[in-house]
Amino acid sequence: MSAVLAGLKESSVRSCWNPPYGLAAPSTKGPWKGVEDVEYATLEWVAWYNSQRLMGPLGYIPPAEYEEQYREAQADLPVLVLN
């Protein structure tokens, strides 16, 4: 089987297993050889998804950056103390 066909087969298997993941899964340097390879690729994708992707609803900035800005804004607010 050619590398192109192997890649297409791998992509179609990912898409059938989980459609959004199949479209956004990171490309690999070769076919996955075992469960560990799939787990590592998944961890890389989750790390990218949670920290680096640009989110439109957040102003096209990564979620991690938005969260940092939110925490800084919250730290600047006065604290309300009830007696």
Side-chain angles (χ1 to χ4, degrees):
M1 181 182 308
S2 73
V4 173
L5 290 177
L8 290 174
K9 181 180 176 186
E10 180 179 317
S11 178
S12 66
V13 168
R14 282 192 306 226
S15 295
C16 291
W17 176 63
N18 187 348
Y21 182 77
L23 296 174
S27 61
T28 58
K29 294 182 175 143
W32 291 330
K33 294 179 180 39
V35 173
E36 292 82 15
D37 294 336
V38 175
E39 288 175 347
Y40 187 75
T42 301
L43 290 174
E44 285 181 328
W45 183 84
V46 169
W48 168 82
Y49 188 85
N50 288 336
S51 63
Q52 297 175 355
R53 70 187 164 103
L54 302 180
M55 262 189 90
L58 301 180
Y60 293 100
I61 61 173
E65 184 178 330
Y66 181 83
E67 185 175 336
E68 184 179 328
Q69 291 175 3
Y70 175 81
R71 289 179 193 229
E72 288 173 2
Q74 294 298 310
D76 294 341
L77 293 176
V79 177
L80 177 63
V81 178
L82 301 174
N83 291 331

